[in-house]
Amino acid sequence: MYQSALPVPRSHHIAEISRELVGREVSLVGWVYRKRVHGGLVFIILRDGSSATIQCTIHRDRVPPEDFKQAEKTLIEAAVWVQGVVAEDPRAPGGLEVRTTRFRELVPAEPWPLTEDAAKSVGFLYDKRHLWLRSLRVQTVLRARAEFCKAAREFFEARGFVEIHAPILITTACEGGATLFPVEYFDREAYLTQSAQLYEEAAIAAFEKVYTIGPSFRAEKSRTRKHLTEFWQIEAEVAYATMEDIMRLQEDLLSHLCNHIAQRFGDVLGERADKIRVKPPFPKITYDEAVEIAQRKGYDVSWGEDFGAEAERAIAEEFEVPFFIYDYPLVARSFYCAWREDRPEIALSCDLWAPEGFGEIATGGERIADPEVLRRRIIELGLPLEQYEWYIEIRRYGLPRHAGFGIGVERTLRWMFKLDHVRMVALFPRTPTRVEP
């Protein structure tokens, strides 16, 4: 016979409590988020998995003596059961409270280490990330991340894309061997994936349009606010597509994601919700124009170089909405990038940048479709040809002109919520100095 792990009845989740329930009895289960005692009255702010909170008032004269004693002694983050009547009170957060008739501590807690003073240390908060994620602020961002990925899936499924799951363990570098994480794989060396792109290119010959949402790993020692060594990307690849096609797809995707997050989290975002409600077409500038902006603002950027963090911020501050930079020098792009026929030094590649100083959030473009051209390019760059033979071979059997992109989950949400660092968007962030908890 089925027996619930919940030892007490629950009638509602806190997010379901509304003015329609005023005067009705409810039974809630959650965690003590805040607590204060005032004489014969205990005030508890209760939270549960719905990421909502409600004030519960426990009056000495309105509950059994043992219940009040438990309420007095219970600590922050103890799991508790509350039964009572919903009432309006303008002094309560949200204007509603539960006037408690029964209270029980289900699972006790030790004294909470994330005190107001301790929380002033960002390093300490990330040391205690396993506890800090109970914070409503952290919960909100992580819930938005889940909604972000859900909305991306809805977008691609509605357009006939097939979701694939590429391998995490790889032997073929996509973005350069210097940033690979090596892994001992039985009697040989393998690596953690940098991108699903190469496998997506194989898959489009079967499905034509594919996407994936998954982790990427880069052994970069960058300590900027936008870098993680483990991050997630939404990647897509399309057969019979040009760079212009893939730019339009990115515009449509980002607009869909922004509008979804603005609608679902408008109460948290406030005025910023309108700021991120974007729609195509996005502004587009060339790499040369971006270099001119950086140089005009006093940054020394030579043609063919990637933009440093400060120059990137300066360029992005020029815009109020997402924008593209295209016509990158081929020397600044990866080995698989196709190039313009009229200007072979220019890659058919583009970056999508977030405005307000946030910078690059996505990279995309056309891939080399000709097997012999790709082979020569790999040899020219001194890459290990034998590792790419399978990648070349897919082009010998009808692989058409194609293009794709990858957009960073953490970077995009960092811009949407105007966060200080991408770490805030990761459940347990990984950086050059942090690999635990």
Side-chain angles (χ1 to χ4, degrees), residues 110-383:
E110 296 180 11
W112 186 240
L114 302 187
T115 63
E116 189 172 329
D117 286 340
K120 293 176 182 178
S121 167
V122 174
F124 178 78
L125 288 175
Y126 281 103
D127 288 341
K128 298 293 184 182
R129 183 67 168 180
H130 49 291
L131 300 179
W132 188 29
L133 59 83
R134 303 185 191 195
S135 154
L136 289 180
R137 178 171 177 245
V138 176
Q139 283 184 49
T140 298
V141 174
L142 294 177
R143 193 175 289 274
R145 179 186 177 121
E147 284 290 332
F148 183 92
C149 293
K150 175 184 173 183
R153 284 192 169 92
E154 291 171 349
F155 173 89
F156 285 116
E157 296 296 330
R159 287 160 177 76
F161 281 70
V162 174
E163 182 174 9
I164 66 166
H165 303 126
I168 301 298
L169 290 168
I170 55 110
T171 59
T172 310
C174 181
E175 300 297 337
T179 62
L180 286 167
F181 277 110
V183 176
E184 185 177 333
Y185 191 74
F186 300 104
D187 60 347
R188 62 183 298 189
E189 188 172 64
Y191 306 96
L192 297 178
T193 184
Q194 298 170 314
S195 166
Q197 180 201 311
L198 306 191
Y199 299 97
E200 285 185 306
E201 289 185 67
I204 60 171
F207 304 111
E208 196 166 316
K209 299 187 292 185
V210 301
Y211 77 98
T212 188
I213 303 175
S216 296
F217 304 85
R218 305 275 172 90
E220 297 175 314
K221 294 184 178 180
S222 299
R223 287 176 169 80
T224 72
R225 299 174 188 272
K226 57 179 289 184
H227 281 90
L228 294 170
T229 53
E230 177 186 339
F231 60 96
W232 281 59
Q233 294 190 85
I234 300 168
E235 299 182 80
E237 202 74 23
V238 183
Y240 308 104
T242 65
M243 182 180 74
E244 289 74 18
D245 294 328
I246 222 68
M247 290 169 84
R248 284 192 291 271
L249 184 64
Q250 289 178 80
E251 288 177 328
D252 291 342
L253 172 63
L254 185 58
S255 299
H256 175 76
L257 295 174
C258 285
N259 290 320
H260 182 84
I261 295 299
Q263 179 180 358
R264 291 300 300 271
F265 296 89
D267 57 333
V268 176
L269 290 166
E271 294 181 359
R272 186 151 187 84
D274 292 331
K275 186 76 175 178
I276 67 169
R277 291 183 193 273
V278 297
K279 60 182 180 179
F282 297 163
K284 299 172 179 65
I285 64 172
T286 64
Y287 170 85
D288 290 354
E289 290 171 324
V291 169
E292 289 176 7
I293 293 173
Q295 291 176 341
R296 171 165 49 83
K297 291 193 165 190
Y299 295 96
D300 183 18
V301 180
S302 299
W303 195 89
E305 293 180 346
D306 267 333
F307 299 105
E310 295 300 320
E312 181 178 2
R313 181 161 52 249
I315 295 166
E317 285 172 349
E318 291 284 294
F319 293 84
E320 294 295 320
V321 295
F323 64 100
F324 285 102
I325 299 178
Y326 67 102
D327 274 359
Y328 273 85
L330 188 62
V331 295
R333 302 278 95 169
S334 296
F335 74 94
Y336 51 75
C337 284
W339 52 83
R340 287 174 48 172
E341 290 185 5
D342 60 332
R343 293 184 64 191
E345 77 279 9
I346 300 298
L348 290 169
S349 179
C350 60
D351 284 351
L352 176 58
W353 286 35
E356 306 172 287
F358 283 88
E360 183 253 319
I361 56 174
T363 295
E366 289 188 45
R367 325 307 190 185
I368 297 172
D370 185 290
E372 294 311 313
V373 173
L374 179 59
R375 175 183 287 271
R376 289 196 297 270
R377 179 72 171 151
I378 290 171
I379 293 172
E380 175 188 327
L381 294 175
L383 300 174

Side-chain angles (χ1 to χ4, degrees), residues 43 54-57 85-89 92-93 95-99:
F43 295 91
I54 193 164
Q55 177 172 286
C56 301
T57 55
V85 176
V86 178
E88 289 189 278
D89 189 326
L96 294 174
E97 68 176 16
V98 174
R99 292 177 180 168

Side-chain angles (χ1 to χ4, degrees), residues 148 254 361 407-417:
F148 183 92
L254 185 58
I361 56 174
I407 182 168
V409 172
E410 293 90 354
R411 287 185 179 184
T412 307
L413 282 164
R414 179 194 171 219
W415 162 64
M416 286 182 178
F417 282 83

